[in-house]
Structure formats: C-alpha cells, structure tokens
Amino acid sequence: MLEIKNLHAGVDGKEILHGLDLSVGKGEVHVILGPNGSGKSTLMNVIMGHPKYEIISGGLEFEGENLNALKTFERARRGIFLSFQNPEEIPGITVENMLRTAKQAITGNKVIKILQFRKKLQETMAELQIDKTYASRYMNVGFSGGEKKRNEILQLLMLEPKLALLDETDSGLDVDAVQIVSKGVAKFHTAENSCVIITHNTAILKNLKVDKAHVLINGKIIKDGDAKLVEEVSQNGYAQFEAIEADL
C-alpha cells in the first residue's frame, strides 16, 4: 500500500530524514518507535504532504502512485489520513459540518443523506464517549486535550481512509481515554486498510495485532522487528539502538 524508498527530507533547509525505507502492506499495522527529535513526526508530515516539509530525494508511492508532487488534499482524497499530535482548533466550522464536507470531498458524493450521516455520527460519538452536543460545536474549540484526541479518532472512523497515520494520538491521555482511543483504532482497522502508529505508550496497541515495528533514530530506521520489538523498547529504552546508530 505504502512504499518509501531512500527518502531524504527535511524542513527549513535542514535534512531530517536520511535515506529512509519503509514498506507497509494492505491490512498491516506498523509501529514507529524512537526518542524525541528522531524524525518520527517529520516522516508523518512528509507522507501527508505538509507544505513546510521538502523531499530532497527519494520518493513515496501509495497504491503504486508516486506521491511526491501531490498536494495534501490530493493525498487525503486518495485515502491517507493523519491524526495530529496536537490537533488544531478551527473556529466557525462545526464538527458535523467539517466531517460531512470532508466525506463529500473524499468520496466525490455531493449528496450525502443528512439523517443517515447524523445517525452514524451520533453512534460513533457514543462509542468514543463524546457528548453528542459536541457535533454542533466548533472544531476542537474549547475541547480538552483528551476530547481533541478522541475527536481525531471520530474523524478516522467517519472518513474511513485506506491508510491511517497516527502521530502520538495517545499522548497526554489518562488510562481510560487511552483505552477508548485504542478500541476506536481497532474498530477502524480491517484487512482492507493499514495503520502506521507513532507511540511511546504500548496501551494504545492493546487491541491491535502489530505486524511490524521500526526504531527510528536520527532520521534513519536502524532496527526492524515485530511486536516483541515494541516490548523490548518499552522495557529497555533506546540506549542500545543509539549505540547501533552511532556505528552505522
């Protein structure tokens, strides 16, 4: 589904990713691990096409199509979704209107049945323990940190992308909120879509089968593995991997 080959990329003239390779198949769950400042969020933003980030060399393909020249909205229409580490507030646009407009743009269906859409929205909000009145509130305005993160998962479930990029969606959440988010991600994931997750908290992975894990340090993936690698990092940290990277 996603193929990244020898990717060199950065921001403001500074190269952050140094020849990164990553292959994500349909139905797979990948976890990206690494210390702060290692380039994890840069990778997510480059995949999504954030205009501040520049591809220096190498490339990205999604379902066989080269992404390098595509704008962010074009990538979203092809089925890529990014859940932000720090979701933005959008005054003047309600949660329901934003989701309905986004759904229309992605599917190309300009006539979405409002009652049917609203029913699904309210059911999904209930599953995520989001008060139904939040549908008529402006996007993330006045929301707590946990409410913003659950709202990100609400968007994921309503928009039904092919590839979900989750950038520390669980950061700053209490135990109960992490469980809700984890169940939401698990509900989204099927054999037909894929997830790439950045996390420091293994609790969000509780309801998911991790296919592959990758340790990213100083802009390079220096270790690949399976779910056991996630546990290894959780128990022992990154010191051993930083030593490996220093020798490369």
Side-chain angles (χ1 to χ4, degrees):
M1 181 173 282
L2 176 69
E3 194 76 32
I4 301 176
K5 297 180 179 178
N6 196 28
L7 180 64
H8 293 256
V11 62
D12 297 330
K14 179 182 179 182
E15 183 174 322
I16 298 174
L17 302 179
H18 309 292
L20 187 145
D21 295 295
L22 181 67
S23 181
V24 180
K26 181 186 289 187
E28 292 182 345
V29 174
H30 287 236
V31 178
I32 307 291
L33 306 159
N36 293 333
S38 59
K40 302 186 302 297
S41 291
T42 294
L43 174 60
M44 295 298 213
N45 280 299
V46 170
I47 296 171
M48 197 67 239
H50 192 301
K52 281 182 59 179
Y53 292 81
E54 175 191 6
I55 294 177
I56 299 167
S57 64
L60 306 90
E61 290 185 356
F62 181 67
E63 295 190 319
E65 180 183 14
N66 189 284
L67 294 179
N68 287 33
L70 295 186
K71 298 184 183 299
T72 302
F73 76 89
E74 294 172 318
R75 301 182 194 203
R77 284 178 176 172
R78 281 158 175 77
I80 304 176
F81 173 93
L82 173 61
S83 173
F84 295 99
Q85 185 175 348
N86 298 300
E88 295 286 339
E89 296 184 1
I90 309 177
I93 301 177
T94 67
V95 170
E96 180 176 348
N97 285 342
M98 194 286 293
L99 285 172
R100 190 167 65 245
T101 302
K103 191 73 172 180
Q104 289 172 332
I106 290 170
T107 62
N109 181 8
K110 299 301 180 182
V111 182
I112 290 181
K113 297 179 180 179
I114 294 179
L115 292 179
Q116 183 178 346
F117 178 86
R118 187 168 292 165
K119 181 175 183 293
K120 181 179 178 181
L121 177 61
Q122 291 179 350
E123 289 174 350
T124 307
M125 293 179 75
E127 290 175 356
L128 296 172
Q129 298 183 26
I130 301 174
D131 191 307
K132 64 181 181 181
T133 61
Y134 277 53
S136 59
R137 290 179 57 174
Y138 293 148
M139 178 63 71
N140 290 327
V141 176
F143 289 22
S144 69
E147 288 167 343
K148 288 181 179 180
K149 296 299 181 69
R150 276 183 279 177
N151 192 37
E152 293 285 287
I153 303 305
L154 173 65
Q155 295 169 54
L156 174 67
L157 293 173
M158 292 298 296
L159 298 179
E160 301 173 306
K162 297 176 182 177
L163 174 64
L165 309 172
L166 307 182
D167 186 1
E168 295 193 36
T169 306
D170 54 342
S171 65
L173 300 181
D174 60 31
V175 174
D176 292 337
V178 170
Q179 290 181 354
I180 293 169
V181 167
S182 177
K183 290 177 181 177
V185 177
K187 181 178 180 181
F188 158 76
H189 180 247
T190 69
E192 297 302 313
N193 56 41
S194 304
C195 297
V196 178
I197 303 172
I198 292 175
T199 184
H200 295 290
N201 185 350
T202 58
I204 193 175
L205 306 173
K206 180 180 179 181
N207 296 291
L208 294 167
K209 176 185 176 295
V210 175
D211 295 289
K212 297 180 182 179
H214 315 274
V215 176
L216 177 62
I217 294 180
N218 291 332
K220 294 180 286 187
I221 291 179
I222 57 98
K223 179 73 173 179
D224 298 296
D226 55 18
K228 293 179 181 178
L229 181 58
V230 178
E231 293 299 327
E232 183 180 347
V233 169
S234 178
Q235 293 176 10
N236 302 320
Y238 295 106
Q240 61 177 314
F241 302 109
E242 291 171 340
I244 294 172
E245 190 276 333
D247 292 334
L248 294 178

